[in-house]
Amino acid sequence: MENHTDAHIVPYKMYLYILGGLIMLTLISVAVTEIEFGEFSVLVALVLASIKATLVLIYFMHLKFDNKILQIMVPAIFILVALVIIIVFLDYNYR
Amino acid sequence: MTQNESNQTHVSFRDVETRFKGLFAWVFSTDHKRIGLLYLYSIVTFFLTGVALGIAMKLELMAPGRDVMDPETYNAIFTLHGVIMIFLVVVPGLPAIFGNFFLPIMIGAKDVAFPKLNLMSWWLYVLGALVALSSLFMADGPPDTGWTFYAPYSFKTNTNVLPAVIGAFILGFSSILTGINFIVTIHRLRAPGMGWFKMPLFPWTLYGTGWIQILATPIVGITLLMIVGERLFSIGFFDPALGGDPILYQHLFWIYSHPAVYIMILPAMGAISEIIPTFANKTIFGYKAIVISTLAIAFVGYFVWGHHMFTSGMSGTALYTFSLLTFLVAIPSAIKVFNWVSTLHKASIQLEAPFFWAVSFVFVFMIGGLSGLALGALATNVHLHDTAFVVAHFHYIVFGGVGFAFLGAIHYWFPKMWGRMYNKKRAITGWVLFFIGFNTLYLPMFFLGISGMPRRYYDYVERFHGPNIVSTIGSWVLLIGLVVIIYNLVRSAKKGEPAVKNPWGGKTLEWTVDSPPTLENFEDIPEVTKGPYDYR
Amino acid sequence: MDTSTTITHDEHRDDEASKLGMWLFIFTELLLFAGLFIVYGVYRYENQEAFHSAGKELSVPIGTINTVILLISSATIAMASSAIRFKNKKLTIRLLVVTLLMALIFMVNKYFEWTGKIEHGYLPGTDTLMNMEQGKVLFYGLYFFMTGLHALHIIVGVILITIVVIRVNKNTLSDENPVLLDNAGLYWHLVDLIWIFLFPLFYLIA
């Protein structure tokens, strides 16, 4: 068992690349509101947000360099939330 | 191997000198054993308060019409009984008391991962309890909503819902922090050699419980905050007049409060899984099946909340789904029952008090579980919803299941916690009275419910009179049993015979340390080579 | 023997445990907001039109600027975690101060946005809002509740990061024990993460 986090140090540059990517995605998500997706506009916005969230989780929050257990737990939590939302909508969608 | 060893190096954790003296040496202690006992004393205090309220309700129900209180008082009493018993007693019960005391010892650690956070959890618990109970002493009186705080009544009533809700929110925080602490402890502090599948079953159930505490409690936290927002700022989340949906409140409330049942029952099952192999002198049957069923209950139990809302007007699809999932969650619970019973098969059983508690747990848990299936079926639920049948069912699980396991656990671990033995005969007398009283109290309520007596009513029609009298008498027998048990334990904690290290012949690590344990539990962290219940 | 301290100041320090504990706490925060997202989802589903028109009244430029600000602050605190490991104390402090400044700008923007909406009478409980259509009442109720709770998290984050800055400055937090900085970072990313979802849900889906 390692007691100190001496995992590898992420170079500054990579954070800047990721930041650039995130800002790009933000601007894209603002820009696409001009396009008429109809029913899918919610979906598009949420997909873009999820991509951004994934980038934050993997790089800013170091999941890429963390131990396996966290790499399993974090997606599991998001799946759990998704399942709860789906089940709630089993009620509202079919009422 | 006895008390003679208690020389300088073997000072019990209770006699250790600390920075503070007297009471402060306890309330500011970060020792997991002292925190466990702090929880014990505070929880037992609230438990007795809850019992008094329960007895008062039964007294009112002894005869139709007004007997000892008016309807408003009755509403307040069943609300307080629920809030106290759920949030202050049963949810923290086994994990906070026995989890704190024994989790580190059973996995071979000196303390939990975050001792200071652990102490903070207890302080938050006390704070939350005081805030919740302050509603009693304010103008407008205690809340009368039931412990569920259903919208829209919870923000329309003039009674003091706010302190109760904020108190429950703080208690949720305490519960979350305990959960985090236990999960990290289990991940990081297991003794060398103790792989996941060499861990005893009580820590395993605490692990499952910890996850539910972390993942479900925040939902009720935010829901209670929304009630606060609703009352203070009339935001309209759940107010039909403003477009809100009261059924959504029920969804959110039960997303926590159903898993909360598993927060209660999982550690109880864990304690039973410790007691049964010890008194059967036999390896537990199907260790891995119990572990997997524990995790399965924790997982599936997260998705069955809707079975509390079958008559609320949910969509048909949701009804079928929740009913199906409810039946699914019964499977892992049944697996455990089969495992416990199989462990007893051809075993040489020691007939001691903890064993009686454990087998009677299986008995009442079966009744509770099977009546739960009657409620989980859609058609019967319509008939039984909000009747005394429901009250009987969940008391068989929460009081029968968790309560019996709690009393079993305290009789099992008493010699380790206080370093003394209790009077065994008196312990068994207490059990007999309690068991008879319990069943006399709650069995009639199944019949009352089937014949249509609603819950939460302070009055009833004449034809329900008979069973209600029986039930009230049962509550007195139960009370007498409880008095015997408490008298026996309190007296023995002071005057009992000194206990040896391993009075029952248990195989888990807590039986290898002193009774009571020293501050650091182990002189040297043990090396684990065998499985937890290695009897043969 | 001063035993209560021997246990808390255990010679063994476990950074992995602290990190795991922080992650578990983050899970609870995620679930806390998940509860609100469920409420949002249900009411949006039931009041499509009202949510549409109400969402149009929020300023997309301010929302976008605040999103970019939070993203930058997230990047700077992540870089601070690297800087402290490169033993660059000066840069660490600078990056953290930039993070704090960004948080401050975010809050100032938020303040103007809120006061603007309150002037329009959108504050829950006021008569103007109560007389509007139901979907709008719910939208603004959720808007104030969710962004308010998020702002509360920003304030907690600012306090936490300030403590980290002080400790780095006093050299009690260095490349030897950077776990508090890492955990403050994790918390700050969580704040960012929630905003990433709040932004499109309130400002963009109109």
Side-chain angles (χ1 to χ4, degrees):
Chain A
M1 282 201 276
E2 282 184 51
N3 283 337
H4 301 272
T5 35
D6 45 12
H8 99 266
I9 311 175
V10 186
Y12 304 127
K13 239 192 215 164
M14 197 179 70
Y15 288 126
L16 292 176
Y17 289 146
I18 299 298
L19 177 62
L22 286 167
I23 293 177
M24 282 291 289
L25 282 165
T26 308
L27 296 179
I28 291 173
S29 62
V30 174
V32 295
T33 51
E34 299 298 318
I35 310 167
E36 195 56 59
F37 285 110
E39 285 176 29
F40 296 105
S41 61
V42 182
L43 190 71
V44 172
L46 282 180
V47 165
L48 283 168
S50 306
I51 297 172
K52 283 161 72 183
T54 316
L55 283 177
V56 170
L57 282 164
I58 293 178
Y59 291 98
F60 284 3
M61 297 175 95
H62 282 258
L63 273 185
K64 191 176 179 196
F65 316 104
D66 263 321
N67 49 19
K68 259 234 165 69
I69 206 99
L70 277 176
Q71 292 175 342
I72 296 169
M73 281 179 189
V74 175
I77 299 301
F78 281 91
I79 291 169
L80 180 85
V81 172
L83 281 175
V84 170
I85 292 176
I86 288 171
I87 292 183
V88 170
F89 272 89
L90 280 184
D91 178 11
Y92 285 93
N93 203 27
Y94 293 99
R95 227 183 244 180
Chain B
M1 292 294 279
T2 57
Q3 283 298 101
N4 314 340
E5 269 186 1
S6 310
N7 51 33
Q8 283 303 89
T9 52
H10 286 258
V11 185
S12 139
F13 72 97
R14 348 170 127 257
D15 306 325
V16 146
E17 300 257 327
T18 49
R19 205 164 14 154
F20 303 104
K21 296 274 163 269
L23 185 65
F24 290 112
W26 285 79
V27 295
F28 293 124
S29 170
T30 54
D31 177 13
H32 66 101
K33 298 179 287 295
R34 289 197 174 194
I35 294 173
L37 288 176
L38 285 178
Y39 269 114
L40 175 74
Y41 300 133
S42 24
I43 287 174
V44 166
T45 311
F46 294 123
F47 172 70
L48 294 177
T49 320
V51 167
L53 295 171
I55 298 279
M57 274 191 281
K58 278 285 123 188
L59 217 54
E60 170 56 40
L61 289 179
M62 196 161 76
R66 186 198 154 119
D67 302 329
V68 287
M69 61 182 83
D70 53 48
E72 286 76 25
T73 318
Y74 188 81
N75 289 349
I77 283 187
F78 75 65
T79 303
L80 282 171
H81 174 80
V83 170
I84 290 176
M85 286 305 203
I86 298 284
F87 292 115
L88 292 176
V89 178
V90 197
V91 168
L94 279 126
I97 299 170
F98 300 109
N100 261 317
F101 201 105
F102 286 105
L103 171 67
I105 309 184
M106 290 176 92
I107 63 172
K110 295 193 170 183
D111 206 317
V112 291
F114 310 115
K116 281 182 187 162
L117 192 70
N118 202 12
L119 179 63
M120 192 173 121
S121 304
W122 181 74
W123 275 103
L124 281 177
Y125 170 82
V126 173
L127 178 70
L130 291 180
V131 172
L133 293 181
S134 68
S135 64
L136 273 173
F137 307 106
M138 293 183 187
D140 302 331
D144 56 354
T145 56
W147 76 280
T148 48
F149 305 116
Y150 267 10
Y153 186 62
S154 55
F155 53 89
K156 299 269 188 231
T157 170
N158 289 322
T159 52
N160 284 308
V161 172
L162 267 189
V165 165
I166 294 170
F169 180 80
I170 300 172
L171 289 167
F173 237 98
S174 159
S175 177
I176 289 173
L177 294 181
T178 305
I180 292 179
N181 221 333
F182 285 0
I183 292 184
V184 176
T185 306
I186 291 171
H187 269 279
R188 299 295 301 171
L189 293 180
R190 275 171 290 130
M194 183 178 277
W196 282 94
F197 285 102
K198 280 186 184 154
M199 193 162 69
L201 288 163
F202 185 58
W204 258 118
T205 53
L206 289 173
Y207 187 71
T209 305
W211 275 110
I212 310 176
Q213 282 173 312
I214 288 181
L215 298 178
T217 319
I219 305 265
V220 81
I222 196 68
T223 313
L224 295 176
L225 277 190
M226 282 189 252
I227 288 283
V228 173
E230 197 93 354
R231 275 185 84 90
L232 294 181
F233 309 108
S234 52
I235 294 184
F237 288 134
F238 308 118
D239 188 351
L242 298 174
D245 180 5
I247 296 179
L248 185 60
Y249 173 84
Q250 296 189 17
H251 273 297
L252 291 168
F253 182 81
W254 289 113
I255 288 177
Y256 164 73
S257 297
H258 192 78
V261 176
Y262 298 106
I263 296 181
M264 308 169 195
I265 198 73
L266 278 181
M269 291 167 158
I272 298 302
S273 308
E274 296 295 332
I275 295 172
I276 284 189
T278 301
F279 290 90
N281 284 310
K282 202 170 154 224
T283 313
I284 192 136
F285 180 86
Y287 168 85
K288 276 198 180 165
I290 296 188
V291 170
I292 292 165
S293 63
T294 300
L295 299 178
I297 290 176
F299 180 73
V300 183
Y302 205 88
F303 305 106
V304 301
W305 73 82
H307 66 218
H308 295 266
M309 308 157 56
F310 279 162
T311 56
S312 70
M314 275 195 300
S315 78
T317 321
L319 291 178
Y320 303 139
T321 315
F322 281 124
S323 184
L324 177 72
L325 288 169
T326 304
F327 278 91
L328 282 184
V329 83
I331 297 172
S333 311
I335 289 177
K336 281 176 192 273
V337 171
F338 292 134
N339 280 320
W340 292 323
V341 176
S342 311
T343 307
L344 297 178
H345 180 63
K346 286 191 181 171
S348 57
I349 294 169
Q350 304 175 59
L351 291 175
E352 301 275 5
F355 178 77
F356 288 119
W357 284 110
V359 280
S360 53
F361 166 90
V362 177
F363 177 77
V364 291
F365 181 71
M366 291 275 289
I367 296 181
L370 292 174
S371 61
L373 291 181
L375 290 166
L378 291 172
T380 42
N381 182 281
V382 175
H383 179 68
L384 296 172
H385 194 88
D386 265 351
T387 64
F389 188 92
V390 179
V391 182
H393 155 69
F394 70 70
H395 278 89
Y396 262 91
I397 295 287
V398 174
F399 193 19
V402 184
F404 277 57
F406 182 92
L407 288 162
I410 204 161
H411 283 92
Y412 178 55
W413 281 314
F414 185 92
K416 188 58 64 187
M417 295 170 89
W418 279 273
R420 291 180 186 278
M421 287 305 291
Y422 47 82
N423 182 322
K424 290 180 179 178
K425 258 191 193 150
R426 211 177 278 140
I428 291 173
T429 316
W431 169 76
V432 170
L433 286 168
F434 193 95
F435 183 75
I436 294 173
F438 178 86
N439 286 297
T440 323
L441 168 54
Y442 293 111
L443 265 183
M445 292 171 82
F446 281 122
F447 300 108
L448 285 170
I450 291 172
S451 44
M453 178 168 157
R455 68 190 282 205
R456 290 180 171 171
Y457 279 31
Y458 100 121
D459 191 7
Y460 51 83
V461 292
E462 184 56 42
R463 70 188 162 99
F464 296 138
H465 197 175
N468 267 307
I469 294 179
V470 177
S471 178
T472 305
I473 292 171
S475 74
W476 300 336
V477 179
L478 179 134
L479 187 65
I480 296 168
L482 202 59
V483 170
V484 173
I485 292 162
I486 292 174
Y487 169 77
N488 184 27
L489 293 183
V490 171
R491 190 174 182 279
S492 310
K494 288 204 179 110
K495 298 185 183 161
E497 294 275 303
V500 294
K501 267 189 180 176
N502 190 355
W504 317 120
K507 294 283 183 183
T508 36
L509 282 176
E510 78 268 31
W511 303 113
T512 63
V513 301
D514 293 348
S515 298
T518 58
L519 178 71
E520 302 254 289
N521 304 338
F522 302 93
E523 299 287 290
D524 303 296
I525 295 294
E527 187 94 25
V528 179
T529 48
K530 291 183 281 187
Y533 308 103
D534 194 38
Y535 284 91
R536 280 178 199 156
Chain C
M1 192 171 81
D2 191 348
T3 39
S4 60
T5 46
T6 45
I7 278 206
T8 44
H9 301 279
D10 212 323
E11 55 301 319
H12 115 135
R13 194 186 92 222
D14 190 350
D15 286 353
E16 276 297 312
S18 310
K19 192 170 71 183
L20 181 60
M22 191 66 207
W23 267 105
L24 295 176
F25 181 70
I26 285 175
F27 294 162
T28 70
E29 292 277 16
L30 285 174
L31 265 295
L32 190 83
F33 277 93
L36 283 170
F37 282 117
I38 291 172
V39 176
Y40 175 93
V42 168
Y43 290 150
R44 187 190 168 78
Y45 178 81
E46 289 185 338
N47 307 280
Q48 307 267 7
E49 290 304 311
F51 269 53
H52 255 258
S53 62
K56 276 191 184 138
E57 287 165 41
L58 295 178
S59 157
V60 176
I62 291 191
T64 316
I65 291 169
N66 263 352
T67 311
V68 173
I69 286 171
L70 270 194
L71 289 173
I72 294 173
S73 73
S74 242
T76 51
I77 198 167
M79 286 160 79
S81 269
S82 289
I84 201 156
R85 287 183 169 78
F86 288 128
K87 303 193 204 314
N88 193 340
K89 179 180 162 188
K90 218 171 168 186
L91 184 61
T92 310
I93 292 182
R94 275 189 191 161
L95 285 165
L96 289 172
V97 169
V98 172
T99 311
L100 287 173
L101 275 177
M102 291 291 155
L104 201 71
I105 300 173
F106 180 93
M107 290 302 276
V108 169
N109 274 344
K110 192 95 265 175
Y111 170 77
F112 283 117
E113 208 185 356
W114 269 40
T115 43
K117 292 287 161 287
I118 291 170
E119 271 167 23
H120 279 88
Y122 290 147
L123 191 67
T126 50
D127 293 337
T128 1
L129 186 65
M130 288 301 156
N131 293 328
M132 290 183 203
E133 55 176 322
Q134 293 184 334
K136 251 187 176 169
V137 179
L138 289 173
F139 182 89
Y140 279 104
L142 281 165
Y143 166 78
F144 277 104
F145 200 84
M146 288 174 90
T147 57
L149 196 64
H150 180 256
L152 203 67
H153 281 77
I154 298 235
I155 294 169
V156 173
V158 165
I159 295 169
L160 194 62
I161 296 169
T162 312
I163 293 171
V164 172
V165 172
I166 293 169
R167 287 196 51 188
V168 173
N169 198 32
K170 284 199 293 191
N171 290 324
T172 53
L173 200 162
S174 66
D175 62 312
E176 296 285 306
N177 57 345
V179 71
L180 183 66
L181 171 55
D182 292 349
N183 280 347
L186 281 177
Y187 182 83
W188 194 251
H189 298 314
L190 163 83
V191 172
D192 191 19
L193 210 58
I194 291 163
W195 185 259
I196 286 177
F197 284 100
L198 285 182
F199 169 61
L201 288 181
F202 280 106
Y203 293 79
L204 293 186
I205 311 180

